[in-house]
Amino acid sequence: MKFKNKRRWQIIRQYVIGWTLAFIFLSIVRGEGTRELGSVQFEIWQSIVTSIIGGPLLGFISACVQILIEEQSYGRISLLKLSLLRLLYVLLFLASIIGLSYIIFAKNITLVKFAFEPGSLAIYIYIVSVDIFMFGLRQINLFLGSNNLWKLFSGKFYSPREEERIFMFLDLQSSTQHAEKLGHIKYSKMIQDCFNDLGVVVENEAEIYQYVGDEVVLTWKLKEGLKNQNCLNAYFNFKKRLDQKKDFYLKNYNCTPHFKAGINLGIVTVAEVGKFKKEIAYHGDTINTAARIQGKCNEFNQELLISESLKNVLGDTNFYFDKIGDIALKGKEKQVLLYGVYQTYNHE
C-alpha cells in the first residue's frame, strides 16, 4: 500500500492517536489502585509504556484496514455490510492480540485458559467498543467532509471568518439527455459511479465541498490549490479516470460521462451554519463567479475555463492557456477575462 496522499496519512494519524490514547486510558483505569486477576501482572507504569509502544502499531494496522475498506469497498456495498465487515476484522484483530500476548507473556498455561482468564472479557469488550467508536467517527468525518468534524467540534468557524480559496464547479454535460435515456434509477447509479471515480482528486488535495444534483463543487486553500497546479491537475486526473473506465460506462450505461469545469479564486467567508443539521459553509462572490464561469464552457466549446485572477497566480505550468477574452457574467457588473486550459500534449 502506498501512503503518498494526505488523506491516507490523516487516517493513519487519527487511528494511531486514537488507539494509543485508548490503551493508555485502559492502563490507568485498570492499574490505579487495582490488582489483576490474570496471570499477566503489570505495574501501571509498565502498562502505560506497553500502551505507548503497542498503541501506534495496532493503530497503524487498524488504519491500513480502514484505508483498504474505503478504497476498495465504498460505493460497492452498503454501510450495514461495511459495518459487518469491520466487525469481522475487529474479531480477527482481537484474536491476533490474544495470540501475540500469549506468545510474549504466557507461562505454563494453555492458550484457551489464557484467553478466558478472569477480567479478560471486559478488555475484549473495551477493544471492540474502541474499534466501533473509531469506525463510527470515521463515517461521520466522511459524511461531513475533510476534517469538518474537528472544525465543528473546535468551534473554529462559529463566528464567520475570511479565507482565500480556489473553487471549481464541475458539471456533467448532457445530463438531461442522459436522464431521459437511462431513466432516473439508472441515471442515479451512473452519477454514483462518477462521483466514486471523482475520489482521484484527493491525490490533488481537493476538498469536496458540495454535491448538487449532477454537479460537484471542489475547493482548496490557496497554497494547496496552487501547489503542483493541484487545482488544474484535479480536473484532468478525473477526466483521465473516466477515460480509463470508458468500457465500463459503455457497458453499463451505453454512454461515456463527460464533465466540464470552471475555476476561480478569491476571498470567501466561511462559517458554521445550521441548528439541527450543521455544516461548514462558504459564502461570497468568488463562488458565484466560479459557477458562472463553468456555465460558459458550452458557449465557448471549452472543457475547462479559469478566471484571470487564478491564471495570474499559477506561475509556470505544464498547461497551455487559450485567452478567450473579457466575458460578461450574469450578476456581475464588470467583465471577467477567461482562459481555456489544455494539457500541452493534447493541445499540440
Side-chain angles (χ1 to χ4, degrees), residues 31-170:
E32 183 63 30
T34 63
R35 179 177 176 81
E36 292 286 350
L37 298 176
S39 60
V40 179
Q41 300 291 324
F42 274 149
E43 295 291 338
I44 184 171
W45 68 268
Q46 292 175 315
S47 183
I48 291 175
V49 170
T50 301
S51 297
I52 293 173
I53 296 173
L57 175 61
L58 297 175
F60 179 80
I61 295 171
S62 191
C64 289
V65 172
Q66 180 62 32
I67 291 170
L68 287 172
I69 288 175
E70 286 188 19
E71 296 184 357
Q72 302 299 323
S73 300
Y74 277 45
R76 295 178 177 86
I77 61 177
S78 68
L79 183 58
L80 176 60
K81 291 180 179 179
L82 277 175
S83 300
L84 293 175
L85 186 64
R86 185 73 192 192
L87 181 60
L88 175 62
Y89 153 73
V90 75
L91 293 176
L92 293 173
F93 182 63
L94 186 58
S96 300
I97 293 176
I98 295 171
L100 183 62
S101 300
Y102 177 76
I103 294 171
I104 297 174
F105 301 113
K107 297 178 180 179
N108 302 320
I109 186 174
T110 65
L111 175 60
V112 174
K113 189 174 181 180
F114 176 81
F116 294 100
E117 285 188 315
S120 59
L121 181 61
I123 298 177
Y124 302 157
I125 293 174
Y126 177 79
I127 291 175
V128 172
S129 299
V130 169
D131 189 80
I132 291 173
F133 174 77
M134 294 293 295
F135 179 71
L137 205 61
R138 181 61 189 162
Q139 303 315 300
I140 295 172
N141 209 17
L142 285 171
F143 277 110
L144 292 177
S146 177
N147 289 324
N148 281 341
L149 176 61
W150 172 247
K151 293 174 184 176
L152 289 171
F153 181 75
S154 65
K156 182 178 181 181
F157 300 118
Y158 186 76
S159 297
R161 56 187 291 181
E162 288 186 334
E163 285 188 358
E164 190 169 18
R165 278 187 167 267
I166 298 171
F167 283 86
M168 174 193 290
F169 276 71
L170 195 64

Side-chain angles (χ1 to χ4, degrees), residues 180-202:
E180 290 177 349
K181 180 180 178 181
L182 297 172
H184 293 300
I185 299 298
K186 201 164 186 179
Y187 174 71
S188 293
K189 288 182 178 179
M190 185 182 77
I191 294 296
Q192 281 184 321
D193 286 329
C194 288
F195 288 170
N196 284 336
D197 288 330
L198 184 64
V200 297
V201 300
V202 299

Side-chain angles (χ1 to χ4, degrees), residues 29 87 151 157 162 173 183 213 226 231 292 305 320 326:
V29 170
L87 181 60
K151 293 174 184 176
F157 300 118
E162 288 186 334
Q173 298 301 292
L226 296 180
C231 60
R292 300 284 186 259
L305 285 173
Y320 173 82
D326 292 310

